[in-house]
Amino acid sequence: MTVEYKVHSNIAVITLNNPPVNGMNYETRKQICASLDQAANDDTVAAVVITGAGKAFSGGADIKEFNTPKMSQEPSLHSVINAVESFEKPVIAAIHTVCMGGGLELALGCHYRIAAPGAQIALPEVKLGLLPGAGGTQRLPRAIGVENALNMIVSGEPVKSEMLAKLSDQKLFDRIASSPETLMEEALTFASHVATIRPLPLIRHLKASHPNADGYFAFARNTVTAMSKHFPAPLKCIDCIEAAVQKKFKEGMDFEREQFIALLMTPESKALRHAFFGERAASKIPDVPESTPVREVKKLAVIGAGTMGGGISMNFLNAGIPVIILETSQEALDRGIATIRKNYESQVKRGKLSQEKYEQRMALLSSTLNYEDLKEADMAIEAVFEELNVKQAVFTKLDAVMKPGAILATNTSTLDVDKIASFTKRPQDVVGTHFFSPANVMKLLEVVRGKQTAKDVLATVMAIAKKIKKTAVVSGVCDGFIGNRMIEQYSRQAGFLLDEGCTPAQVDQAVEKFGFAMGPFRMGDLAGNDIGWAIRKRRATERANMRYSKTADLLCEMGRFGQKTAAGWYDYLPGKRDAIPSKIVTDMIEQHRKNKGLTPRKISDEEIVDRLVYSLVNEGAHILQEGIASKASDIDMVYLTGYGFPLWRGGPMCYADTVGLFNVIQRMKKFQKNPLDDASFWEPAPLLLKLADEGKTLT
Ligand code: 3HC
Ligand code: NAI
């Protein structure tokens, strides 16, 4: 049973009990209606209280049912709310912890609402590319005013119950309980008091009005249009709220329904829902049960106070975990700590961090040149130079001093984590934690699972990731892990496009128009072209058969490493980050084509985008097939949170499903015929062929 029904003296209590968040799936809706019938037929029942068991009143409609027949199977959420609204005895919502989406819409349909302090109240549908589709856009403006409702609906952000109760003239809450613990008792008393009052108050009878409606909605549209370029939902929310002001309640409800159904079908909503579940699924590792005990990490050691070590440390300081940083020289330590200090100070200056918090965080930071001082730490993260012998020296020392059971993590981006683990006598405690730069900002953390990494080490790192607010995705050991292994193929294609006739700016603009935060060449200039150059040189022998465009090497031979040298694929003015197309670079590319006897051709934006994105899709399919990633949504999370892939397209794998795997493969086969491209590059991954053949999808 997902709904409990009990009678307390003359009050019936309907308790949603559908863990984890009392999502209103078909079963729950059916049982709410059955409970209402029971209460209607029981003459001893004078009023009904609806509440939720566990950690939510209700998180809303069950998102998993969307786009399935169950979603509209009667009783729909509309029908449930209608049944509540037209119930002949008073229905009181007793709201606590989380009251969101359809949960709030259900409450708005009740005759009265009493909320516990601290309850999170929201209509967050917009974050899933939707709008509140069960009356939220019609009832909330009537309950808290048009402007307040619009802010909540368009942002989707939760507001605390006690804040809403303070709004002037609000009709949302009839009472705020003294405490969460006394909510039910107070709701039952309240129900007894109102049991005989008639007529029953309905929010639909209130008026949604604004003294300057036309001007206000024009202003709201202007603001929202600028902020929601690629997402249709926010503007549709405004249309519906305007309908609440202009139309009769029933007409407004019909309008809202039409808009909701239309949004449900959009690729943007599909992508956002995919990302919602993908983020939660990423923390689940198929063979590591959620009950796996985690190790306690009360103190962290960071080895190396460079770019990454500093950023990594900040994550832990922000979470209140003490950090000790080790370096090879006092100068390097001072420099690293000064950078951390500078970063925090700039946050204080911008009003993003209070002086008090800044001081608290810095007080958690200590430094040393001596490994003996790391003995107390429960985990070490190594972020020293990307050279195997340097890593070996560090891990040998860590193995000697760290306490038994301490986790030894490496931030390596290209080296073999199993090899690094073999430098210790405790490979089961070694794991990769691949942060992205700037490590204190970027959401993504690739957790690299070595052959021998213990399950509780993985479980601990996933739990820590949550604590430091990262999206952690597990990757097996391979060259580049998930993200960089895919980006290598993408970069190779970008290079081929230069050989065949594109300019860096043309390629960047095409993918940026598609939605990437940054095209491959601007990204190279930001990260430093010399990094890829060094990797290519190191891999020269093992990748002797892999074809690359030589343009990236030629660029580095000219000393054009990117923004840091004020010259890369683009020119940069001193101290500025604007990428200015460079004549030197286009001349270099033209000369390179001449030397190779390549005749440039005009390449469409569509071809550029398809070649770059499908190169990610194909490598992603290999990664999935090899078990480096355990699910396609993990790959999408890597790309959404670490590589600027457009959120509204859901990540490369979700995008491939939207286009259709058959179509993707057809396009790849066409690219295979291009004599200047690498035919083997476009050999579709067996998994893609299989899924397309079976009419299945990746995600
Ligand atoms: N439907 C189905 N599953 C849901 C859900 C929902 N509405 N809300 C949360 N869940 C699931 C999550 O997928 C997760 O499942 P898992 O354990 O299998 O991974 C589990 O509940 C716990 O979720 P969180 O990890 O996010 O738990 P938190 O405690 O951190 O947060 C929450 C709880 C604030 C409710 C958060 O889950 C959330 O924001 N949920 C989405 C709420 C939402 O968007 N509601 C609107 C739904 S659409 C709607 O109501 C349409 C209507 O207008 C017609
Ligand atoms: P960096 O050069 O900025 O910093 C490295 C620091 O390590 C220097 O301060 C150096 O003094 C210190 N160091 C060197 N040898 C040491 C030793 N034996 N003991 C203690 N400290 C030592 O390098 P960066 O960029 O921070 O990279 C560190 C690691 O993170 C590398 O493995 C790199 O591949 C990886 N990485 C880098 C990313 C980036 O964008 N910079 C992104 C993801 C991973």
Side-chain angles (χ1 to χ4, degrees), residues 317-461:
L317 299 174
N318 297 349
I321 299 170
V323 175
I324 178 161
I325 309 194
L326 180 140
E327 258 290 351
T328 47
S329 70
Q330 191 59 45
E331 297 77 63
L333 264 186
D334 292 345
R335 210 173 31 242
I337 289 177
T339 307
I340 295 178
R341 199 176 278 286
K342 209 174 91 206
N343 276 337
Y344 278 137
E345 277 168 359
S346 121
Q347 290 178 18
V348 173
K349 264 194 210 124
R350 284 179 287 133
K352 304 236 156 156
L353 183 72
S354 68
Q355 181 71 25
E356 192 192 352
K357 278 208 171 132
Y358 159 51
E359 280 160 21
Q360 279 168 2
R361 288 176 192 182
M362 286 310 289
L364 292 172
L365 181 62
S366 57
S367 62
T368 184
L369 298 172
N370 186 353
Y371 274 87
E372 286 296 313
D373 293 336
L374 308 186
K375 276 185 168 158
E376 303 277 287
D378 306 293
M379 175 170 177
I381 301 181
E382 163 278 308
V384 302
F385 298 141
E386 186 75 341
E387 286 163 31
L388 199 61
N389 58 345
V390 185
K391 307 276 189 203
Q392 177 165 17
V394 170
F395 273 81
T396 309
K397 285 189 191 129
L398 286 175
D399 194 21
V401 300
M402 297 291 288
K403 60 171 130 170
I407 294 174
L408 310 184
T410 171
N411 189 48
T412 182
S413 40
T414 53
L415 301 174
D416 180 344
V417 172
D418 288 325
K419 183 95 195 142
I420 293 175
S422 76
F423 299 144
T424 72
K425 290 186 215 67
R426 36 176 142 175
Q428 74 282 0
D429 295 339
V430 177
V431 65
T433 48
H434 184 216
F435 288 83
F436 285 68
S437 183
N440 54 318
V441 176
M442 294 294 287
K443 281 281 282 175
L444 178 61
L445 172 63
E446 278 181 327
V447 176
V448 186
R449 177 179 193 168
K451 272 199 194 73
Q452 299 189 56
T453 307
K455 290 186 180 179
D456 65 336
V457 167
L458 277 174
T460 306
V461 174

Side-chain angles (χ1 to χ4, degrees), residues 667-689:
R667 197 80 171 121
M668 286 166 60
K669 285 188 174 156
K670 187 152 181 232
F671 297 148
Q672 242 176 344
K673 295 197 182 113
N674 172 1
L676 293 182
D677 204 334
D678 186 337
S680 64
F681 186 108
W682 289 117
E683 197 54 51
L687 178 69
L688 276 187
L689 291 170

